Amino acid sequence: MKKKSLLTLVLLAFLLQPVAAGHANPNAFMEEFVKAINTGNFSLIEHYMSPQLREEFTEGYFENIRSFILTNYGRVLSFKALNESESKDMELYKFEVTCEKGSFPVLLAYKNGELVGIALGVRAKPNPSGMVAMILGSFTALGILYILVRKITPHDLILGSGLALALSVIIPFYGIVAMFTVSLYPTLQRTLVTALATAVTVEVAKFYLSRRRDGLAIGLGLGIGQYVLLAVGTFVAVNFILQLPVSFTGSTFSAFLVALAFTLFHAASARSYTAVKRPVYMLPFIAIEFAALVLMSLNMVYPGVAAIGLGVLIGARVGGVWNGIAGREAPRNP
């Protein structure tokens, strides 16, 4: 009788094994996540992830996240569960992680008991030097092009800055859509879609504004609006009004270089739209801007700046910036 009971228990355990293996255990993951962040041991959390998630949440990505958390929040102290919900065929678990210098939310997505998505609501500390570097970068671009061309239409410069403000209302929605699909689509796919939508929106807007105006001034205004007006406004609003420590991360030199390169790119590409009024000429600039945005979103700042530099050279050649020295006209339409 005892042997029969023992055999029944073993058989029952065997039959229940697939169910137990497919059961979500977010608390166990979070316990290991805390240890992994504090110790740098990625293997503690790797085996919890689905094969697809492991392809995205690689050890290199983990090291970047860990460095960011330790720099901005300090060592992780504890975590607590906030709520559970369901989205389509997934279970969502939200936690709050407490660190030495603050806290941040973590969202885990499970499908059929398997961890398929991780979202961290981490933010960077304010970096005023980064804001100043961006402003200097954008004004340096203005100075370079003024020396080269000697004539920049003031009202088109203002129009370009207005375009930057308008785009600042539209483009963030792409990021918001990506945020709500954080557990539904791969990270790289979200990055590609957001970057492409941004590049298309910016270049189409520049093209239609620049065809019959001073494209160089419009592009410069766009860069100045983005890296001066929006930089200052965002920094003040987010850090002091909303009390959120965010924006202007990375090295100061990188911030300067990005603002300089993108302001020159916007000016050169918009100037080419003035010189050659054909929509097909948007395609190389869309491709270049798309590539640069993707590279920068993957923390490859200098390759991204190099890509934008190629766009500056193409735009300057097509738009006749070099031929515009001392007021000479841009080349006629081919």
Side-chain angles (χ1 to χ4, degrees):
M1 184 70 179
K2 290 182 179 179
K3 289 183 179 180
K4 186 176 179 180
S5 300
L6 181 61
L7 181 62
T8 302
L9 288 173
V10 171
L11 180 61
L12 183 62
F14 177 77
L15 292 174
L16 291 177
Q17 185 176 356
V19 177
H23 180 68
N25 193 356
N27 285 288
F29 171 83
M30 289 302 300
E31 289 176 1
E32 298 301 319
F33 176 77
V34 170
K35 296 176 184 176
I37 293 297
N38 287 334
T39 64
N41 187 354
F42 176 67
S43 64
L44 292 174
I45 61 173
E46 185 178 18
H47 63 280
Y48 284 93
M49 305 178 196
S50 67
Q52 183 181 10
L53 183 58
R54 279 198 295 270
E55 292 179 3
E56 301 171 15
F57 205 100
T58 62
E59 187 168 5
Y61 181 74
F62 166 76
E63 287 298 332
N64 289 335
I65 289 292
R66 177 174 182 266
S67 176
F68 186 92
I69 291 174
L70 293 178
T71 299
N72 291 277
Y73 293 88
R75 287 178 59 82
V76 180
L77 302 178
S78 62
F79 72 91
K80 66 177 180 180
L82 296 181
N83 57 60
E84 303 176 16
S85 61
E86 292 186 2
S87 176
K88 294 185 178 180
D89 57 346
M90 284 183 292
E91 301 170 3
L92 305 179
Y93 299 86
K94 188 174 183 180
F95 294 85
E96 182 180 52
V97 174
T98 301
C99 304
E100 294 173 326
K101 297 183 287 186
S103 61
F104 60 87
V106 175
L107 179 66
L108 304 180
Y110 284 82
K111 185 175 182 180
N112 298 326
E114 197 172 37
L115 181 60
V116 296
I118 304 172
L120 307 177
V122 290
R123 298 184 174 92
K125 291 188 296 186
N127 180 10
S129 62
M131 176 187 67
V132 174
M134 286 184 172
I135 293 172
L136 291 176
S138 189
F139 278 133
T140 299
L142 173 63
I144 291 172
L145 290 175
Y146 181 78
I147 292 171
L148 287 175
V149 180
R150 301 291 179 86
K151 184 179 179 181
I152 297 173
T153 310
H155 60 268
D156 284 335
L157 193 69
I158 296 172
L159 180 62
S161 296
L163 174 61
L165 297 177
L167 291 175
S168 71
V169 176
I170 298 171
I171 290 177
F173 281 102
Y174 304 146
I176 293 173
V177 171
M179 180 180 67
F180 279 109
T181 60
V182 66
S183 302
L184 306 180
Y185 300 101
T187 302
L188 182 58
Q189 182 178 329
R190 293 198 310 272
T191 299
L192 294 175
V193 171
T194 303
L196 181 60
T198 300
V200 170
T201 302
V202 172
E203 294 309 309
V204 169
K206 282 194 304 189
F207 176 79
Y208 283 101
L209 274 184
S210 302
R211 288 181 303 166
R212 297 179 178 84
R213 295 180 177 273
D214 181 0
L216 188 77
I218 287 175
L220 276 173
L222 176 60
I224 291 171
Q226 181 177 356
Y227 294 109
V228 178
L229 301 179
L230 288 177
V232 174
T234 301
F235 189 83
V236 171
V238 173
N239 291 289
F240 299 106
I241 298 177
L242 299 180
Q243 299 293 309
L244 297 175
V246 68
S247 73
F248 307 109
T249 61
S251 73
T252 301
F253 179 69
S254 295
F256 170 83
L257 206 57
V258 168
L260 172 63
F262 264 100
T263 302
L264 289 174
F265 171 79
H266 289 319
S269 57
R271 175 65 174 258
S272 72
Y273 298 151
T274 302
V276 185
K277 302 173 179 63
R278 297 180 184 177
V280 69
Y281 276 81
M282 288 189 291
L283 295 180
F285 296 113
I286 289 174
I288 289 170
E289 187 170 351
F290 165 71
L293 291 173
V294 170
L295 289 169
M296 290 179 182
S297 69
L298 298 175
N299 295 319
M300 301 172 67
V301 176
Y302 294 112
V305 169
I308 282 296
L310 175 62
V312 173
L313 294 176
I314 294 173
R317 178 69 182 89
V318 175
V321 172
W322 312 128
N323 298 330
I325 296 175
R328 288 197 295 271
E329 294 292 330
R332 291 178 297 175
N333 295 355

